[in-house]
Amino acid sequence: MVFIGGINIPEGVLVKKALTGFYGVGPNVAARLCAKLAIHDRALVEDLSISKTTAVTLELTKMPIESDLRRKIQEDIKRLRDMGTYRGRRHAMSLPVRGQNTRSQINTARKLNRVERLG
Amino acid sequence: MVLTNCWRCARQVPLRALLQPARPTNPPATTPTTPTTPTILLRPKQQQSSSFSTTLQKAALVKKKTTLPMSNPKAKGSTTLKIKKKGPPVKVSKPAEVGVRRAERKRLVLANANALEVELPTLTAEIAKEDRADGAVFRFEGAMIDTLRKLEGFQLKQGWEFFHTPSTLVKGESVELGKLIAWVNGEEVQPKAVQKEKPAEQEGNVGQEGDVQQEEQVVQEAYVKGWIPTGGYLNTTEVIPGVAGIRDKKLAQLTRESRSGRRIIAGPRGAGKSVLLTQAMAWAHQRNWVVLTIPNAQDLVIGHTEYEHDLSTDLWLQKPYTMALLRRFLESSATVLKATPLSQDHVFGRDVIPKTDSLYKLTELGSLDVWLSWDVLNAVLYELSLPKRPPVLFTLDNLNYISLPSAYRSPDFTPIHAHDLALPNLFLSYLRGERTFWRGLTLAATTARSPATPALTFALAGEEVSPYKKLDPRVAPSIKGVPVMAVSPLTRPQAKALMEYYRDSGLYTQDVQSTLAEKWVLSSGIPKELMKACLRLKY
């Protein structure tokens, strides 16, 4: 187990894949982060030197990820709601915000759009 | 019967009412008298909200409907997409251990006990210079097979697994390479005879010369189809250093003895480019050369090995690969390296290789310590550039892969060009002749199985490229001035020799003489296709 960005990651995992486990880091951000630190595509977490591990953690602390990002998103939604906008209301009503049809298949909105948004 | 009304009065009553049976005498006032009366007026007064609203009626209708037994209980619009979640897959068997499947995939089989053993001459150093060897099949000896395996000279899918012992056909290009190796080695080399001897095979085909010529034309046309053939190569482009400025007579003599050759081997798929490299490795090793190999340039560019930026050269180093390169070098050329002295002490931080040690010790250090591997490689190359050092064969297969942007990314996320990677850059500097060994031969083979590299194709053909074409501008200068050896198709005698070898190995059961023309033309003179036509094609 290697300690990166506040969590323990198993050793046999690709670095790029492991980074996408953080909320707010997708494949593109992970690829750019790896390029910045010269980590090759097939690098495993166990292959990282201590200096590289520290550098990855340092880069992650500079980015809005995990609870910081969640809080930011919730604040943005709260602002919409407080202003009484349509988008704010739709968020609060567990309904799609961006004009999707609601006849069927609005599972994501039902799941995530709450007064305090999940995820 | 007497009517209660007079006929005059009866005219005002509908006739139908008169013909119907008698009704109760006191019906309710609102009871319809005629069926044509609108229904809405028939409802009780208390149910009507207003004359224009239909809400209550509709509500009443819906209520009635819900009582029906076959009605759908769900209201319209409440249906949702529900996909059943599958559980984790059931594991039937235990998964293979880490590395087992890869090892199975990369397993190289070089012998087949089921195939018949063929009596063949051994590929020796002397054969390299013999024009007569052209068109004959030779076998690699046991120790040589081990060395070539260490150098990764044999590759998968070359068909070695069908035969009892690895054997190879010596072609015209093989002899050219062999002579080049002998020349670099300082041996006397006879130039190639201009007049080609008539192949002995034609003895049985007297009177069919026209057919043979026609077949040859078909083979040539099929061979060059889809591939730009190069304009041949010159023998006079070897680097012979000038000695005009050197006053020291001994040094001038040593410099005069320095020789260096380079070639790019090009040809269509299955023409035998990689096998030519294998033959060159064998001949070089037999002459006590040291052999540095990059068996597949693809490994350098697909982002599978670690890389780091070198500030002093602005290149990207691949130290783990360099370490593997030095290990191959050490294992294959140990005897020669142990006998080679060092010119100076080599200091790498705390590690010191004193002058009294051999080149072997220096190489060993780089093959064990990944952090020192690049510096050690440079030190080894410096030692090999000094006079009276063993000659060097430096080979790279699949040149096309280092003529493209690599899968590596720079910090600003732009792809790193393969020429900015230190190892390809180093090889290309030897190939261009910018860096030389005291005695050395640098060989690169192209591949037909890479992504499209039009810039390289044009550069190899030596064609003028339109400035409006979007070609990689770095490729043509990177191989500028390098002689290109175009691998030619099999001649009829060469094809016959190969087919006889297949027959003697027990793999080809048909008559060689009668099927030769067919198989030769079908294969377009490409050895790989000939093997497929003889060993795999069924009717």
Side-chain angles (χ1 to χ4, degrees):
Chain A
M1 299 292 253
V2 180
F3 197 67
I4 295 175
I7 57 166
N8 276 317
I9 297 171
E11 287 173 349
V13 182
L14 292 175
V15 177
K16 205 178 270 185
K17 179 77 183 163
L19 288 176
T20 56
F22 289 96
Y23 183 84
V25 181
N28 193 21
V29 172
R32 281 174 183 274
L33 184 56
C34 287
K36 192 171 182 183
L37 302 173
I39 298 169
H40 62 284
D41 286 353
R42 290 295 178 92
L44 298 178
V45 170
E46 63 185 351
D47 299 338
L48 288 184
S49 60
I50 294 167
S51 60
K52 283 242 170 104
T53 314
T54 320
V56 170
T57 308
L58 187 67
E59 287 295 327
L60 287 174
T61 54
K62 289 181 197 166
M63 293 193 283
I65 55 165
E66 292 289 338
S67 56
D68 290 347
L69 186 61
R70 282 202 178 91
R71 197 179 309 118
K72 184 178 174 297
I73 290 171
Q74 284 183 359
E75 278 168 9
D76 290 348
I77 294 170
K78 187 171 181 296
R79 185 177 58 83
L80 292 172
R81 210 171 57 233
D82 292 350
M83 286 194 302
T85 59
Y86 176 76
R87 282 170 61 200
R89 264 190 291 146
R90 299 293 280 185
H91 270 294
M93 291 192 297
S94 306
L95 286 167
V97 177
R98 298 183 180 180
Q100 295 98 315
N101 289 345
T102 54
R103 198 183 175 90
S104 63
Q105 297 193 41
I106 51 167
N107 292 347
T108 309
R110 274 189 193 155
K111 191 171 72 181
L112 301 176
N113 291 3
R114 305 281 168 83
V115 174
E116 290 296 326
R117 187 190 158 91
L118 305 175
Chain B
M1 182 184 171
V2 181
L3 285 168
T4 52
N5 295 357
C6 67
W7 279 109
R8 190 175 294 170
C9 301
R11 275 199 306 184
Q12 293 173 4
V13 180
L15 188 63
R16 209 189 299 163
L18 293 174
L19 296 177
Q20 276 174 359
R23 289 163 191 262
T25 50
N26 53 350
T30 52
T31 310
T33 50
T34 55
T36 50
T37 318
T39 337
I40 192 162
L41 296 176
L42 303 181
R43 292 190 175 279
K45 193 76 180 171
Q46 65 269 21
Q47 282 190 10
Q48 294 179 12
S49 55
S50 64
S51 59
F52 56 84
S53 172
T54 57
T55 312
L56 277 171
Q57 302 156 33
K58 284 193 172 174
L61 287 171
V62 169
K63 203 176 180 184
K64 269 183 189 171
K65 272 190 176 178
T66 50
T67 56
L68 290 170
M70 294 300 288
S71 68
N72 187 3
K74 279 198 169 179
K76 204 176 181 185
S78 69
T79 48
T80 53
L81 183 75
K82 282 182 182 172
I83 299 166
K84 273 188 181 175
K85 279 186 182 173
K86 284 183 184 174
V90 182
K91 283 175 185 170
V92 180
S93 61
K94 207 180 167 187
E97 293 288 316
V98 175
V100 169
R101 285 187 301 184
R102 182 186 165 85
E104 183 68 21
R105 200 173 68 240
K106 300 271 176 186
R107 195 162 59 97
L108 184 66
V109 178
L110 292 178
N112 187 345
N114 293 325
L116 299 176
E117 191 174 0
V118 188
E119 285 293 321
L120 290 171
T122 314
L123 190 78
T124 56
E126 290 70 40
I127 284 164
K129 291 191 286 183
E130 293 285 335
D131 276 325
R132 288 176 301 154
D134 184 357
V137 181
F138 296 88
R139 67 179 174 85
F140 293 107
E141 55 165 335
M144 179 55 67
I145 293 168
D146 291 343
T147 310
L148 290 175
R149 202 189 254 277
K150 281 174 195 161
L151 289 167
E152 297 183 33
F154 298 114
Q155 292 178 7
L156 291 171
K157 297 186 180 178
Q158 284 179 328
W160 304 110
E161 66 274 22
F162 299 127
F163 301 96
H164 187 274
T165 315
S167 309
T168 183
L169 173 80
V170 170
K171 291 174 70 182
E173 289 83 31
S174 315
V175 178
E176 292 288 348
L177 265 186
K179 285 184 177 177
L180 192 58
I181 290 169
W183 175 79
V184 172
N185 206 37
E187 298 168 29
E188 285 292 319
V189 179
Q190 295 292 324
K192 194 181 177 185
V194 179
Q195 188 65 40
K196 248 189 155 180
E197 285 177 35
K198 277 203 169 181
E201 184 270 324
Q202 284 186 11
E203 284 165 11
N205 281 348
V206 182
Q208 295 182 5
E209 207 166 312
D211 292 349
V212 173
Q213 279 176 0
Q214 201 181 350
E215 283 163 16
E216 193 144 346
Q217 198 184 343
V218 171
V219 167
Q220 281 285 353
E221 280 173 9
Y223 186 82
V224 301
K225 202 176 177 186
W227 178 66
I228 301 170
T230 53
Y233 62 94
L234 302 168
N235 268 329
T236 52
T237 47
E238 315 316 338
V239 180
I240 300 172
V243 288
I246 301 172
R247 288 191 176 180
D248 185 353
K249 275 188 181 176
K250 198 178 169 189
L251 190 61
Q253 180 60 27
L254 284 173
T255 313
R256 203 174 285 119
E257 284 174 11
S258 167
R259 282 167 186 191
S260 126
R262 58 243 169 81
R263 286 283 183 282
I264 293 175
I265 302 168
R269 180 168 180 244
K273 304 177 291 293
S274 299
V275 174
L276 276 178
L277 285 187
T278 313
Q279 290 173 351
M281 284 176 206
W283 281 325
H285 189 261
Q286 280 166 344
R287 284 183 163 79
N288 285 333
W289 288 25
V290 289
V291 185
L292 265 170
T293 57
I294 298 174
N296 186 0
Q298 194 185 13
D299 295 340
L300 288 167
V301 295
I302 50 175
H304 284 201
T305 64
E306 215 170 287
Y307 69 123
E308 63 179 90
H309 191 232
D310 183 32
L311 285 172
S312 59
T313 53
D314 199 20
L315 294 173
W316 294 86
L317 311 180
Q318 289 159 299
K319 286 183 175 174
Y321 189 93
T322 313
M323 192 171 87
L325 175 77
L326 285 172
R327 195 177 299 136
R328 276 200 297 275
F329 182 58
L330 191 77
E331 285 174 0
S332 61
S333 312
T335 324
V336 185
L337 289 175
K338 277 175 185 165
T340 310
L342 291 177
S343 64
Q344 62 182 56
D345 294 350
H346 288 279
V347 183
F348 309 98
R350 283 183 298 177
D351 297 284
V352 180
I353 303 290
K355 195 179 172 181
T356 48
D357 268 338
S358 65
L359 192 55
Y360 182 86
K361 278 280 172 196
L362 180 64
T363 315
E364 196 181 27
L365 178 68
S367 72
L368 294 175
D369 191 338
V370 68
W371 299 111
L372 297 180
S373 58
W374 179 252
D375 294 334
V376 168
L377 177 68
N378 278 314
V380 168
L381 293 175
Y382 166 74
E383 287 289 339
L384 290 170
S385 69
L386 298 175
K388 293 290 175 191
R389 291 297 187 273
V392 186
L393 175 68
F394 196 1
T395 68
L396 178 140
D397 206 348
N398 304 345
L399 178 71
N400 303 51
Y401 280 103
I402 58 167
S403 309
L404 289 165
S406 71
Y408 292 106
R409 299 271 184 168
S410 62
D412 57 356
F413 207 57
T414 49
I416 298 172
H417 197 282
H419 291 180
D420 292 330
L421 298 171
L423 265 174
N425 192 290
L426 177 84
F427 178 81
L428 287 171
S429 65
Y430 276 101
L431 191 65
R432 279 195 303 272
E434 283 168 14
R435 291 181 70 168
T436 51
F437 301 105
W438 181 63
R439 278 184 176 178
L441 176 62
T442 310
L443 294 177
T446 61
T447 175
R449 302 201 73 184
S450 75
T453 46
L456 184 71
T457 313
F458 278 107
L460 288 176
E463 284 186 9
E464 281 289 317
V465 178
S466 161
Y468 297 104
K469 271 216 158 101
K470 281 185 180 175
L471 293 179
D472 191 342
R474 298 181 68 172
V475 173
S478 75
I479 55 165
K480 198 177 179 186
V482 188
V484 178
M485 175 186 275
V487 183
S488 55
L490 291 174
T491 60
R492 201 181 161 97
Q494 286 168 356
K496 193 189 176 194
L498 272 180
M499 285 175 70
E500 281 171 348
Y501 172 58
Y502 302 154
R503 183 197 60 201
D504 295 344
S505 297
L507 296 164
Y508 188 60
T509 47
Q510 296 178 50
D511 179 36
V512 171
Q513 191 62 43
S514 59
T515 53
L516 172 61
E518 172 203 329
K519 300 290 180 190
W520 181 45
V521 171
L522 264 182
S523 69
S524 317
I526 294 172
K528 187 172 217 140
E529 295 298 323
L530 184 74
M531 190 160 81
K532 277 186 191 172
C534 291
L535 268 58
R536 289 168 57 181
L537 199 65
K538 302 276 183 235
Y539 296 102

